[in-house]
Amino acid sequence: MSEAKPGAVAVVGAGGAVGREAVGILIERGYDPASIIAFGSERSSGRVLEFDKTKVNIRAYTPRQAAECESAILCTDADVSARIAPELADLGVFVVDNSSHFRMHPEVPLVIPEINGKLITLKPNPPIVANPNCSTIMLLTALNPIRRAFGVESVVVTTYQAVSGAGALAIDELYSETARALSGEKESPSVFPVSCAFNVFPHESARDSTGYSGEERKMIDESRRIWDSPTLNVLPTCVRVPVERAHAQSIVIKTASASSTNAIIEELRKAEGIRLHQSFELTPRIAAHTDQVHIGPVRESESDPGRTFVLWICCDQLRRGAALNAVECLILRSNTATKLTGSVCV
Ligand SMILES: NC(=O)c1ccc[n+]([C@@H]2O[C@H](COP(=O)([O-])OP(=O)(O)OC[C@H]3O[C@@H](n4cnc5c(N)ncnc54)[C@H](OP(=O)(O)O)[C@@H]3O)[C@@H](O)[C@H]2O)c1
């Protein structure tokens, strides 16, 4: 094993939608660009990522070169992560994986730093940590303060998911399909099963025998695991919308004990990583390129007052829902004072 460079971070899949974001956040958070080693497949070897004045070169992934880093953020598909993560962990590299591969693995912690970050620092330190699904991260970040104060009996959530959730190629497809539609050409989707231009459709991930899509299944299973609540009643409907970046969710939550709109807002105001909005004009565009989960005004059920509430939330799923979560896991692990994003009211 070669000597790890102190503080060096490998970002694998750096040219992808999440990977590019991870490199950018590391630079913003003060990591020396020379200590960020960007890897991709052979296809993106030699590509250069540009961030203001900083350029980062992508090289083809090799375990030997990546093992020169202390830690690695994997921004690769599940099959690639399944191969690379154990390989790097065996070489002594601390791995945070963005893919779904390890999320339900009993020995791999599934972490949202604001909720269960302590799992990263337990002894012995876990060699691999899994980042939850982006829709789960935004849902639980918004609901955790409410759960802590009043408990949660059930969650009904409908998602409005940006195309970038399906990767960099899906962003290209939104633009090309929109151009085709505007010029009257025949649609030609390849990432999605139907054209995403001027369209809304159920999430494209495969459905299991219960009828839930893969994305919906992740939201159920991961929420139960992170909250350590195996029978939690979560009812998701995941939908793709023609938005480039940032997901939205409509959430109906039933609390376990009596609450009120004002009490819920007060809990959200105190929480980390949340930005409260007083107007109903909250959109994915407002959340794009920001670090917080944005929450619009909370409404109360008229037939179940004090117990059932409706929330509208938006979140940059590439950033808060993936890359930033991974960087915060790295920071937690390296015991550097963690600067989590504070709550702001606008
Ligand atoms: N997009 C989201 O909103 C989101 C949110 C949460 C989690 N995730 C998860 O994060 C992971 C990355 O998603 P993404 O949306 O960023 O996908 P993406 O845009 O398709 O990027 C995937 C990256 O993986 C690289 N790659 C493929 N094979 C590789 C190999 N053998 N060695 C090294 N790099 C390889 C690709 O590099 P080349 O360009 O060289 O092929 C590409 O840059 C996925 O597991 C996804 O499920 C995504």
Side-chain angles (χ1 to χ4, degrees), residues 12-20 39-45 47 58-61 74-81 83-84 97-101 103 131-135 137 162-170 218 240 247 317-319 321-323:
V12 187
V18 174
R20 192 184 193 291
F39 293 100
S41 72
E42 292 285 350
R43 280 183 297 275
S44 47
S45 172
R47 210 178 126 196
I58 301 183
R59 55 183 88 172
Y61 170 80
L74 305 190
C75 309
T76 43
D77 287 338
D79 55 336
V80 178
S81 290
R83 178 168 52 80
I84 287 179
D97 180 40
N98 271 295
S99 85
S100 58
H101 185 77
R103 290 182 189 151
N131 242 17
N133 170 267
C134 49
S135 300
I137 289 177
V163 296
S164 53
L169 291 177
K218 287 174 193 169
R240 199 67 84 177
H247 293 348
Q317 95 288 349
L318 294 173
R319 197 173 169 89

Side-chain angles (χ1 to χ4, degrees), residues 136-203:
T136 309
I137 289 177
M138 63 188 278
L139 177 74
L140 295 200
T141 301
L143 297 189
N144 202 56
I146 304 173
R147 178 177 191 254
R148 230 175 8 220
F150 311 108
V152 170
E153 202 170 288
S154 66
V155 177
V156 180
V157 53
T158 305
T159 71
Y160 303 77
Q161 297 189 221
V163 296
S164 53
L169 291 177
I171 302 174
D172 297 343
E173 184 156 306
L174 176 63
Y175 282 92
S176 61
E177 283 297 292
T178 303
R180 280 175 173 277
L182 289 174
S183 61
E185 282 178 67
K186 192 170 174 292
E187 55 195 39
S188 176
S190 58
V191 175
F192 296 114
V194 296
S195 180
C196 57
F198 306 104
N199 209 358
V200 164
F201 51 94
H203 198 277

